[in-house]
Amino acid sequence: MAASSWFRLLSFLMVLVALAGCGTRADTERTDPYANLFKGVKYVGSKKCAACHTEIYDAFLQSEMGRSMSVLDEASLIERFPQKQAVYEPNKNFLYEMYKRDGKFYQREYRLDKTGTLVHERSVGAEYVMGSGNNLRMYFRYENGMLYELPLTWYSHSTKWDMSPGFRDFNNLRFRRFASVRCLMCHNAIAEERPNANDRYDMPLPLGIGCERCHGPGEKHVREMTNTPPGTDLLTIVNPRKLPHEQQLDICQQCHLQAKAWAPYQEAKVT
């Protein structure tokens, strides 16, 4: 076959390949790089999203993720007070209880000798609560830029107080277990870490998992859409609905990797 014929055949095949790809890839499967994933794009906080996405923002605040972290106050209580019985931790031989006084909340650690005499006592304030309450609620204090987890947790499914996750397994860290950036990245919105110190955060702390946890940093999207006609799609922020299913799961599995599931249980009736 002549060279010109080969060239025409090759050109024809290239056109067919190009046409075959036109219109076959659904909008939900496009893989274009999103501009907000480039280096240097900053997080701006969920309140910036509320200006344009008010209904979505308000609904999200009521979700489990939107309620993942909050200030501990009387209005949000689901726990049982007063605590009926102190929780005993045998590794360090301490007893723990949570109580409220004058509108504030505290966790008390104490030890009794063989005669029942109090030989040690320490109380620490509980300022923040982590967890929506659908599963559990953990408590934290803020000190010198760090968040410290307190020993007691309220477990909603069993409606009881018990040691916080990991405290029995790691020999009871008492009041010294701090929340690292890796902890907060899944349990709360992106916190501003101090530039010259690890795991220290400036106030005010963001409260609740935010929009940018799944959509990525919003600085470029807010700036571009503020100056762009409605309906224009500049791919300035990740929209999980438009990702392939595998990539949607990738977003979820940044945090949801624990092999646990809750299922309702009801006693069978014998007839």
Side-chain angles (χ1 to χ4, degrees):
M1 184 180 293
S4 57
S5 299
W6 274 112
F7 179 80
R8 286 195 297 270
L9 178 59
L10 180 60
S11 300
F12 177 72
L13 292 174
M14 291 177 64
V15 170
L16 287 179
V17 171
L19 290 175
C22 293
T24 60
R25 187 179 67 180
D27 188 52
T28 57
E29 296 180 345
R30 66 187 181 194
T31 57
D32 314 65
Y34 286 89
N36 68 318
L37 301 182
F38 298 152
K39 186 177 180 179
V41 182
K42 297 179 180 179
Y43 292 93
V44 295
S46 297
K47 290 184 178 179
K48 291 284 187 180
C49 309
C52 296
H53 306 285
T54 306
E55 291 185 9
I56 296 174
Y57 174 81
D58 290 341
F60 184 77
L61 289 182
Q62 305 306 315
S63 69
E64 291 183 36
M65 290 190 292
R67 295 181 289 115
S68 64
M69 190 165 182
S70 59
V71 174
L72 180 59
D73 56 26
E74 293 271 2
S76 63
L77 288 185
I78 63 170
E79 301 86 344
R80 290 180 180 174
F81 286 101
Q83 185 175 335
K84 293 182 178 180
Q85 184 177 3
V87 175
Y88 179 62
E89 198 289 299
N91 289 322
K92 297 287 178 66
N93 189 27
F94 287 122
L95 291 155
Y96 292 94
E97 64 180 9
M98 187 159 179
Y99 64 95
K100 56 180 179 177
R101 183 180 64 205
D102 300 329
K104 295 184 178 180
F105 299 85
Y106 302 87
Q107 288 199 12
R108 176 186 179 222
E109 173 190 84
Y110 63 100
R111 178 182 291 158
L112 306 175
D113 65 13
K114 293 181 179 179
T115 66
T117 302
L118 182 68
V119 295
H120 164 79
E121 183 178 29
R122 180 186 180 186
S123 288
V124 171
E127 303 169 71
Y128 295 92
V129 57
M130 184 179 288
S132 67
N134 289 22
N135 184 11
L136 51 74
R137 278 165 54 105
M138 301 180 290
Y139 308 91
F140 290 79
R141 65 184 174 94
Y142 180 83
E143 181 180 328
N144 194 25
M146 300 186 77
L147 280 170
Y148 291 92
E149 184 180 1
L150 303 188
L152 280 187
T153 284
W154 173 257
Y155 292 87
S156 303
H157 289 275
S158 53
T159 60
K160 71 174 185 179
W161 298 97
D162 206 343
M163 298 303 293
S164 296
F167 272 67
R168 294 192 190 278
D169 300 328
F170 300 106
N171 199 28
N172 187 4
L173 294 174
R174 301 173 68 191
F175 299 101
R176 303 190 306 273
R177 188 180 190 186
F178 63 89
S180 67
V181 171
R182 293 187 66 182
C183 296
L184 289 186
M185 70 179 291
C186 284
H187 291 283
N188 196 29
I190 306 297
E192 189 69 29
E193 189 179 17
R194 292 182 181 177
N196 299 317
N198 293 331
D199 304 313
R200 295 181 187 269
Y201 317 100
D202 288 323
M203 298 292 278
L205 288 172
L207 297 175
I209 295 170
C211 309
E212 293 168 300
R213 192 64 198 89
C214 296
H215 292 278
E219 179 191 39
K220 187 172 183 63
H221 180 71
V222 171
R223 183 175 63 246
E224 295 292 339
M225 299 311 292
T226 301
N227 302 305
T228 303
T232 305
D233 187 2
L234 298 180
L235 295 181
T236 53
I237 197 163
V238 173
N239 185 344
R241 290 184 62 185
K242 296 183 177 181
L243 294 176
H245 182 63
E246 292 78 8
Q247 291 184 11
Q248 291 175 342
L249 292 178
D250 287 342
I251 292 177
C252 302
Q253 288 173 350
Q254 293 177 94
C255 296
H256 295 282
L257 286 172
Q258 191 174 11
K260 278 189 177 181
W262 296 101
Y265 174 78
Q266 184 174 359
E267 290 282 355
K269 293 183 179 180
V270 179
T271 57

